[in-house]
Every structure is written in C-alpha cells, then in structure tokens.
Amino acid sequence: MEVVVGRENSGAIRICYEDHGHGDPVVLVHGYLQDGRSWEKQESALLTAGYRVITYDRRGFGASTRPSVGYGFDTLAADLAVLVETLDLQDAVLVGFCSGTGDVTRYLGTYGESRVRAVALLAPLPPYLPRTAGNPDGIDLAILDELAREVIADRPAAAKTFLDRSYNIDLLGGTQVSDQAWQNSFHVALGASAVAARGGVEALLEDFRADLARITVPVLVVQGDRDRIMPPEATGDRLSGLLPRARHVVVPEGPHALIWTHADQVNQALLDFLHTL
C-alpha cells in the first residue's frame, strides 16, 4: 500500500507502508540505511500482544520513491503526517529508531499531539548531536564530517563501517548478530538511494531542542549503553531532563542496533510501556 506525499517534476513521491493487526495503532519509523522490514522482531511482538502495527519505508529507502530532495526532518515529518492523517489514526503510539526518532520528534514539534498518545525513542538522535559552544555534551563535529565524506567517496564501504559500528560486530558478531543478518542489513543499506544516504548524514546536524519542549505525552527512551552511533551521553541520557514524562531504559551491553541484537529486552520495555498507557 502507498500514500502520495508530494511530487517531483512529473512523478508522484510515494511512501510504501504495511498495516497489520487490530487494536491500538503503533507506527514504527525505521532508522538510517534501513527500511520498514527492519522492525520484524518488534512487529511480531506487537501483533501477538494485540496491537495494530504500521510500518513504512521512509522516502529514498526500501520500496518508497527515491526523490532527489526532501531528506531533512521537516519533510520527513511531513511524510509521517500524511500517513497518519490518511489512515486517520487516533491515539497512536509513534516509535522511532535511530534517525527515525528525528521524524517522530519533529512531527510532534510541528503537528502537535492531537493524534498521538505516547512516543518511544529507541537509540535516539535528539536532542542535538553536534558539539558546539552551546551544546558541550554533543559529539565532535569532525566525526560527522568524516562520515559525510565517506558516504560521498565510497558509499558501500561507508555502509559497511556504519553497520559494523551499529551492531558492535567486533563484540557481538557470530553470537547476537549472524553473518546472514549482517549481510541482509548490508543489502538493504545498498538499496537506499545515494541521495538519501547523503541527506541522512546531513540531517544529523538538526537541533530538536525546541521540538522536545513541545512534547507533553509519555515518552519511552531505550538505548544500549554501548551505542557507538548515537553515544548515550550525547543523546538518550539527556532526554530525561528535557521531557517531563520520560521513562529511560538502559540496555546493558546493547549496541546501536539493539532492536535486533537485544530484541527481547527492547520488546519487553516497549510492551511494559504500552500497558501503562
């Protein structure tokens, strides 16, 4: 299924989605270099628990249209808004992973909470990743600049590096991450449009602090304490102080890609959170 979120020249920009199950709606927003199928372990748990689960491929990824524009969070949040409104979702729970947490946060900051009753941010990007004079807890901007250069120079090699760090493959490879699972992620990552891959890195510079200030619904934050992509001290550890109704769950030994490697812990935290709403 698909929704049209805009046009580029003579063609429609289409977002492909899947909508399964019954009950209260949960929308899953995937992360950088992934697609909607990356949620398979969470989708299964949520469907079993009686929820309606909507997954989709963000623009430039998976089966969705690959436009040359629109990879900033204003547009990505607008895409999410079209999906939510087209499906006429009420009391939805929005769950983002990695850069998908930026879509969710900007959606709430821009479109409000009238259709949303709660949010979960897994391995989050907010509040503001780059280190600046006004953001001393961020990460060195040179790290992000290097990632951007790598994506431009050799996208397949950059994808391998990103996935190795995302899975902490040196620590978890062969145990909690099979070679087949890694290869599948690599295949999906290479399927992303080159423009989306570059735009996704540029969007990591986004400042979400104003959006966070507008959030009043309950928020679940889940992050591994060994996240090498979104360091906890720059991201998840800071959110409790910025969100009045935040619940913070730390997954011991968890990498960035904890929705795969530590799916049982993530699913339990998510279901426990949903049961309190």
Side-chain angles (χ1 to χ4, degrees), residues 5-262:
V5 296
R7 300 191 67 83
E8 183 180 33
N9 298 331
S10 59
I13 300 173
R14 303 178 187 274
I15 298 298
C16 293
Y17 70 94
E18 296 188 10
D19 184 357
H20 300 292
H22 304 280
D24 296 332
V26 180
V27 182
L28 304 177
V29 188
H30 70 79
Y32 182 62
L33 297 184
Q34 297 184 324
D35 62 16
R37 292 172 295 177
S38 63
W39 289 107
E40 63 176 83
K41 294 190 176 185
Q42 287 67 49
E43 181 179 25
S44 176
L46 289 166
L47 289 172
T48 299
Y51 291 94
R52 175 186 176 187
V53 182
I54 298 104
T55 61
Y56 69 99
D57 297 340
R58 298 159 81 212
R59 64 169 61 203
F61 297 94
S64 290
T65 306
R66 303 153 64 90
S68 64
V69 294
Y71 297 101
F73 285 106
D74 288 347
T75 305
L76 295 170
D79 291 348
L80 175 57
V82 172
L83 179 63
V84 169
E85 291 163 13
T86 299
L87 298 180
D88 193 24
L89 300 182
Q90 305 292 336
D91 293 325
V93 176
L94 305 182
V95 183
F97 169 71
C98 181
S99 60
T101 62
D103 302 25
V104 171
T105 304
R106 180 56 48 82
Y107 171 90
L108 292 173
T110 304
Y111 300 95
E113 302 173 338
S114 63
R115 293 179 177 270
V116 178
R117 65 169 174 158
V119 170
L121 305 176
L122 313 181
L125 167 59
Y128 184 32
L129 198 58
R131 182 184 304 149
T132 64
N135 189 49
D137 296 320
I139 68 172
D140 191 338
L141 188 59
I143 295 173
L144 300 176
D145 289 341
E146 178 62 22
L147 176 59
R149 287 193 293 270
E150 290 173 354
V151 169
I152 293 170
D154 189 336
R155 185 167 61 91
K160 178 186 183 304
T161 299
F162 180 86
L163 291 174
D164 285 349
R165 295 182 65 221
S166 183
Y167 281 116
N168 288 1
I169 203 71
D170 57 323
L171 301 175
L172 303 179
T175 56
Q176 288 168 270
V177 187
S178 67
D179 181 62
Q180 290 78 12
W182 188 96
Q183 291 291 342
N184 179 66
S185 294
F186 186 62
H187 175 76
V188 172
L190 292 188
S193 80
V195 176
R198 294 195 299 270
V201 175
E202 294 168 0
L204 297 179
L205 304 177
E206 192 73 25
D207 187 345
F208 297 97
R209 289 174 291 186
D211 303 289
L212 293 168
R214 300 186 180 101
I215 297 176
T216 64
V217 295
V219 179
L220 173 68
V221 178
V222 182
Q223 189 165 29
D225 63 5
R226 292 193 176 185
D227 190 329
R228 294 172 176 171
I229 302 296
M230 304 294 179
E233 63 274 12
T235 56
D237 290 352
R238 300 170 61 192
L239 290 175
S240 294
L242 297 171
L243 294 165
R245 302 176 67 186
R247 174 188 297 187
H248 189 194
V249 175
V250 177
V251 178
E253 311 299 318
H256 182 66
L258 78 173
I259 63 172
W260 181 270
T261 63
H262 291 71

